[in-house]
Amino acid sequence: MSTGNDPSSAIVVGAGIGGLTAAVALRRIGWSVTVLERAPIIAEVGAGLTLWPNAVSALDALGLADAVRDRAVRTVSRGNVRTSKGRWLRRSHPDDVRVLAIHRAALHDVLRRALPESTLHTDAEVVSVAEDGKVVCRCSGEEHDLAADLVVAADGVNSAIRRSLWSGDPVFQGRSVWRGVTPSGSVWPVEESLSLGRGEQVGLLPLPDERVYWFVMANADRPNQLSTDERADALRHVEGWHDPIPELVRATPPDQVLHNDVVDIDPVPSFVRDRVVLLGDAAHAMPPDLGQGACQAIEDAVVLAAALAADPDTTAALASYDDQRRARVQPMATAARESVRRTANTNPLTHLAVTLAARLVPPKAWRKATARWSDWTAPPVPQQENKRS
């Protein structure tokens, strides 16, 4: 492992979706990139996600959108809305925003294939990061002193780099979510839908190979309430809900049901500290209510690369990235937190208001509301020759 003071070298900490996208984008503009991942293998853990048009635009700027489309299902999100008993509140409309539904592992694989293996280093724990781009990394029991022109902190909501150089522990939002993907053809076909209960909601999305991604979101009085049988816990929340929700949960292998607390972080005053930049959940983790978490990490990566390509002054480029991203993402994170308060509310009148809105809002107004955050076009990311792998 060698990373020196190359005038355009970067260390990316974290090999999730945001970190890999950042590595792809930086290499595209000619930067040398080293990705450090503390896990022993680089693999995405998760279920499904939706890529809204803004994320697809960002992937298109990197030349990856077609590869992603080949491994996704084109559908809508929040187009079909039902009650917990199955009554339709809204059916999808031709004007609804189209999204790509994809397994996180498939998206992760597309991004990884766009990088040479030499850029990826596993079992690499970052011990410390200095503002000037110096990194101490422990790999296979040995410590390495690294240095780069830029350090990208893409190490997630529990970012050690953010806690070290900024501040901000995750904030529990009083919600838990269970996620799963059914085996191929076990319950099929299934239509995209969002079903609403009082303080609970269930989402269904078709995936390639006749699989279905589902999630169950419910209130929780405290975090870290893990179980030896997460599938059974998810089933308890959807007992009596309309078909095929209970069947989908039962069809999912118990060891493949994921349970996470819904957390976010309070806004940080800047995403940049000298030569260190926050990206993705490390910068602006938000509740999943808007479906924009992964999308915004992808956006971050493309905007960062575009800013660095446009301005040879790295300090000025990072300031531009910071201005652009905080102006866009922080209001979105606030909106996601406000959405949690609405969907978590168990008051019958509040629930009635939510269901009436789904029934009565005209299609054009519905599209405007759901497209609020996805109406974004990526800046160009010029292709330049890589100086070093």
Side-chain angles (χ1 to χ4, degrees):
M1 184 187 307
S2 64
T3 305
N5 288 316
D6 202 72
S8 55
S9 63
I11 295 171
V12 177
V13 181
I17 288 172
L20 292 187
T21 309
V24 172
L26 290 171
R27 280 181 50 80
R28 183 180 177 88
I29 64 169
W31 282 55
S32 164
V33 179
T34 298
V35 180
L36 303 178
E37 170 56 49
R38 67 178 181 177
I41 60 172
I42 294 179
E44 179 62 43
V45 177
L49 58 83
T50 51
L51 294 173
W52 289 72
N54 50 306
V56 177
S57 175
L59 291 167
D60 192 50
L62 300 179
L64 298 177
D66 287 343
V68 170
R69 289 187 186 97
D70 288 343
R71 303 182 68 171
V73 170
R74 190 168 184 262
T75 183
V76 293
S77 182
R78 298 169 179 81
N80 295 311
V81 184
R82 309 176 77 170
T83 68
S84 62
K85 300 302 181 183
R87 181 167 61 93
W88 289 100
L89 299 170
R90 183 184 191 277
R91 300 292 302 206
S92 61
H93 188 272
D95 289 340
D96 286 344
V97 180
R98 311 299 293 187
V99 302
L100 297 179
I102 189 170
H103 198 292
R104 294 184 73 94
L107 174 59
H108 195 266
D109 186 61
V110 170
L111 295 168
R112 183 173 177 175
R113 288 173 181 271
L115 293 167
E117 287 294 325
S118 60
T119 66
L120 307 173
H121 299 272
T122 58
D123 196 22
E125 178 187 4
V126 173
V127 177
S128 66
V129 174
E131 295 180 13
D132 61 358
K134 291 183 172 59
V135 174
V136 177
C137 173
R138 184 180 295 115
C139 187
S140 301
E142 297 183 2
E143 287 196 358
H144 302 265
D145 294 323
L146 311 176
D149 202 47
L150 176 67
V151 176
V152 179
D155 50 344
V157 62
N158 293 303
S159 171
I161 297 174
R162 186 189 68 244
R163 288 171 165 172
S164 173
L165 297 182
W166 282 263
S167 63
D169 291 326
V171 180
F172 177 54
Q173 291 298 317
R175 302 278 271 172
S176 284
V177 59
W178 290 262
R179 298 182 174 95
V181 174
T182 60
S184 178
S186 57
V187 183
W188 192 262
V190 172
E191 190 175 10
E192 177 278 330
S193 67
L194 178 68
S195 300
L196 306 175
R198 285 173 52 186
E200 299 178 325
Q201 55 180 316
V202 177
L204 309 179
L205 278 172
L207 292 177
D209 302 322
E210 297 186 349
R211 296 173 297 166
V212 181
Y213 163 52
W214 58 264
F215 71 81
V216 176
M217 193 176 299
N219 291 342
D221 56 5
R222 64 185 188 280
N224 301 317
Q225 297 187 61
L226 302 179
S227 167
T228 57
D229 191 343
E230 296 293 358
R231 186 179 69 174
D233 283 359
L235 276 169
R236 279 193 285 273
H237 281 285
V238 298
E239 184 178 355
W241 284 56
H242 68 80
D243 292 334
I245 290 172
E247 184 182 5
L248 289 166
V249 177
R250 283 193 294 268
T252 306
D255 63 345
Q256 295 180 30
V257 175
L258 306 176
H259 174 201
N260 301 103
D261 296 321
V262 175
V263 298
D264 63 7
I265 61 172
D266 292 327
V268 295
S270 173
F271 292 166
V272 175
R273 184 68 63 90
D274 195 2
R275 297 293 170 153
V276 183
V277 58
L278 296 174
L279 184 145
D281 282 351
H284 47 67
M286 65 184 76
D289 288 51
L290 304 181
Q292 282 286 338
C295 297
Q296 291 309 304
I298 294 168
E299 274 192 29
D300 286 349
V302 168
V303 173
L304 175 63
L308 290 166
D311 195 329
D313 183 339
T314 300
T315 299
L318 295 182
S320 175
Y321 165 82
D322 185 41
D323 289 343
Q324 291 181 65
R325 298 312 296 159
R326 283 192 299 111
R328 174 156 167 78
V329 178
Q330 289 181 337
M332 191 184 306
T334 298
R337 187 177 279 190
E338 291 171 350
S339 178
V340 168
R341 296 191 182 99
R342 289 192 299 272
T343 57
N345 196 316
T346 59
N347 183 288
L349 291 178
T350 302
H351 179 63
L352 177 62
V354 171
T355 56
L356 284 176
R359 285 183 59 191
L360 302 177
V361 171
K364 287 186 178 180
W366 187 271
R367 178 187 173 85
K368 182 178 180 180
T370 55
R372 177 184 177 190
W373 305 112
S374 64
D375 187 13
W376 179 90
T377 301
V381 181
Q383 177 74 56
Q384 298 179 18
E385 181 182 357
N386 288 101
K387 298 179 179 179
R388 189 181 67 206
S389 296

